[in-house]
Amino acid sequence: MAAENVLAIGASRNIGYHAAIRLLGKLSTELSESGSTVTFLLRSPSVFDKDEVIQGYVKSGKVRLLKGDGLVKEDVQRAWDDAGKEKPVDTVLFTVGRKPLFFHLFKGFLIDPPNLVAQCLLNVLITMPKPSEPRMIVVTSAGLTPTAHRSLPFLLRLMYTYILCQPHKDKVAVERLVWHCAGKEWPTDIPDPGEELLGSDWAKLEGLPEYGTFTNTLTVRPYLLTDGDCVADKSKAKAQSEEKKPYRVGGDELSGYTISRKDVAHFIVEDGLKNWDQYRNRAVTLVY
């Protein structure tokens, strides 16, 4: 895979961070010697002050740290401009998320604002340079559609229905944006979260790709995330074949419990991006 010019939003830690490290070349198995260049949009660039790996790439010019908030349209526009100074952005890592701030007895965990992730993606899409079409990885969650929800193990079904209801509604709104840009008709059995979380006229916002005009996306739907090791790297070290990855990749029918954030990052870089023609304009589920 050729070196990429990457814009990473929501990558200060977790999946986005681990994927960025792979794209920079430290862990990836097939990058060119020069590695990729990554521009991080960060609310607090100081998060990397003690990160020796990132600081090494900053010194070499392979990493740019840009202060800004994905909820602020002007900050996202500046991120596109800064990342694309020398060459157009090839790849967008959109892995925005936030730990719930509150727990409500009847509503479960709550985030503030309730449309945090969807609004950030909306800002990314409406400020995206035209007519460029970077590859865009968007991470949501398993269990969002009725079919996927029915595939969840009983305990996870309870958790997703009650405890994670609000954060998952936000992720559904994210997928609503992706489906609109890709020209896919929204399923009738999924409540449309657009008006509630994005506003009544969201589809008419200036800059948003028109219906069916942006299909260069891959939606990744991991199961319950853990901080475990990258099992795929360990498997490769044991000389297991590529066909025997320790995690499964499929559609809404997959059932299971967990997958580590590092293995999700492994899929994004070592499979999703390297086999883009196979995954373009799709949504895939990941689970052990």
Side-chain angles (χ1 to χ4, degrees):
M1 185 175 73
E4 299 289 321
N5 184 22
V6 182
L7 174 57
I9 300 177
S12 62
R13 55 193 178 90
N14 297 330
I15 295 170
Y17 173 82
H18 298 305
I21 292 298
R22 285 188 175 278
L23 285 167
L24 286 164
K26 188 172 181 63
L27 293 174
S28 181
T29 56
E30 289 185 18
L31 279 177
S32 66
E33 290 184 3
S34 60
S36 296
T37 299
V38 180
T39 300
F40 290 85
L41 179 64
L42 303 161
R43 286 185 299 161
S44 301
S46 61
V47 70
F48 289 146
D49 282 355
K50 297 182 179 180
D51 189 315
E52 295 182 2
V53 174
I54 292 293
Q55 290 302 323
Y57 284 119
V58 170
K59 293 176 182 177
S60 69
K62 291 298 181 180
V63 161
R64 304 185 187 97
L65 305 180
L66 182 64
K67 182 176 177 59
D69 191 331
L71 288 170
V72 179
K73 176 184 173 183
E74 292 74 16
D75 287 356
V76 180
Q77 180 67 71
R78 189 159 43 86
W80 280 111
D81 295 342
D82 193 75
K85 280 181 179 178
E86 298 176 3
K87 59 172 290 191
V89 172
D90 304 302
T91 302
V92 176
L93 283 179
F94 183 84
T95 55
V96 174
R98 179 181 292 176
K99 290 183 178 180
L101 300 177
F102 315 100
F103 181 81
H104 189 282
L105 184 60
F106 301 107
K107 298 180 181 179
F109 285 114
L110 304 177
I111 57 174
D112 184 27
N115 66 340
L116 168 72
V117 184
Q119 185 60 54
C120 288
L121 181 60
L122 185 62
N123 286 338
V124 170
L125 291 168
I126 64 180
T127 58
M128 181 172 64
K130 311 299 188 293
S132 67
E133 277 207 0
R135 299 184 299 179
M136 188 174 295
I137 301 287
V138 178
V139 177
T140 59
S141 173
L144 298 183
T145 69
T147 300
H149 191 75
R150 289 191 293 269
S151 298
L152 294 171
F154 178 70
L155 292 179
L156 281 188
R157 202 178 313 156
L158 288 178
M159 178 185 295
Y160 284 24
T161 301
Y162 167 54
I163 298 178
L164 296 176
C165 179
Q166 191 219 46
H168 277 196
K169 184 181 288 188
D170 189 16
K171 296 294 181 68
V172 173
V174 167
E175 296 211 1
R176 181 70 182 94
L177 285 168
V178 174
W179 282 54
H180 167 84
C181 294
K184 297 180 181 179
E185 185 175 350
W186 189 246
T188 57
D189 56 350
I190 306 177
D192 191 332
E195 184 170 341
E196 177 185 355
L197 295 183
L198 299 170
S200 58
D201 294 324
W202 66 267
K204 299 178 182 179
L205 287 173
E206 183 180 357
L208 183 68
E210 295 183 6
Y211 184 82
T213 61
F214 181 56
T215 61
N216 212 24
T217 61
L218 167 59
T219 303
V220 180
R221 298 167 169 169
Y223 264 74
L224 196 63
L225 293 165
T226 73
D227 289 324
D229 293 335
C230 180
V231 185
D233 281 342
K234 291 185 175 181
S235 297
K236 190 172 183 62
K238 294 178 181 178
Q240 292 185 5
S241 69
E242 285 296 314
E243 289 74 19
K244 294 182 179 179
K245 290 187 178 71
Y247 53 78
R248 291 174 289 149
V249 182
D252 286 347
E253 76 286 349
L254 283 187
S255 182
Y257 282 94
T258 65
I259 186 166
S260 77
R261 294 174 173 88
K262 290 181 180 179
D263 272 316
V264 177
H266 179 277
F267 166 77
I268 289 172
V269 177
E270 308 297 345
D271 195 355
L273 289 175
K274 288 179 181 176
N275 299 295
W276 190 252
D277 289 342
Q278 175 185 342
Y279 290 110
R280 183 177 183 269
N281 202 24
R282 287 182 56 192
V284 297
T285 302
L286 300 182
V287 67
Y288 287 134

